[in-house]
Amino acid sequence: MKAVDKVYKIIKDNYADEWTDTMEIAKKAELSRSVISIYLSQLYKEGKLTKKSGRPVLWKLAQNNAPFANLIGYSGSLKEVVKKCEESIVYPPNGFPLIITGPSGVGKSFFGKKYL
């Protein structure tokens, strides 16, 4: 298990429904604040955490890890397309360009705006 996954598990097990700060997570993980900050930023970019800016920055588990979950066909006919789109979104460092093609009126714009 990667260290970032261990940090996510710590947050999930200890702070499932509450906001917590970086120092609190660092104490639980027994790692430095700067290392935890890197992992938290990575989890945030992956959509696994939500962030409340301020001093200190507060973190919480994202309520819905799948932005396309309420899309018709998410776990059926569009499963492979959605998987590729989700992978392109989290591709390091800033995502991967993706072209959505198809006939007029099939929902390309709707699908593209779903993640925003």
Side-chain angles (χ1 to χ4, degrees):
M1 180 184 283
K2 293 181 186 177
V4 69
D5 296 328
K6 289 179 185 178
V7 170
Y8 181 72
K9 184 174 179 353
I10 288 170
I11 296 168
K12 193 173 179 180
D13 293 345
N14 297 291
Y15 310 105
D17 295 324
E18 60 187 74
W19 294 97
T20 188
D21 65 0
T22 307
M23 280 304 294
E24 191 67 31
I25 298 167
K27 288 176 190 174
K28 282 276 189 203
E30 297 178 353
L31 293 170
S32 71
R33 187 199 145 306
S34 59
V35 170
I36 291 296
S37 184
I38 293 168
Y39 293 147
L40 293 173
S41 294
Q42 182 179 346
L43 290 168
Y44 175 72
K45 286 179 183 175
E46 291 173 4
K48 294 181 179 180
L49 296 179
T50 55
K51 176 170 78 168
K52 188 185 289 185
S53 297
R55 291 200 180 255
V57 174
L58 299 176
W59 304 92
K60 184 178 179 182
L61 287 178
Q63 296 300 320
N64 186 1
N65 289 342
F68 302 104
N70 58 357
L71 184 70
I72 295 172
Y74 170 75
S75 58
S77 61
L78 293 177
K79 188 174 186 174
E80 289 300 313
V81 174
V82 168
K83 181 182 176 195
K84 289 178 183 179
C85 289
E86 289 175 335
E87 289 172 354
S88 71
I89 291 167
V90 298
Y91 189 84
N94 298 321
F96 190 78
L98 183 68
I99 297 175
I100 302 171
T101 61
S104 178
V106 296
K108 297 180 298 290
S109 296
F110 174 78
F111 190 77
K113 293 176 184 175
K114 197 70 177 159
Y115 184 73
L116 297 175

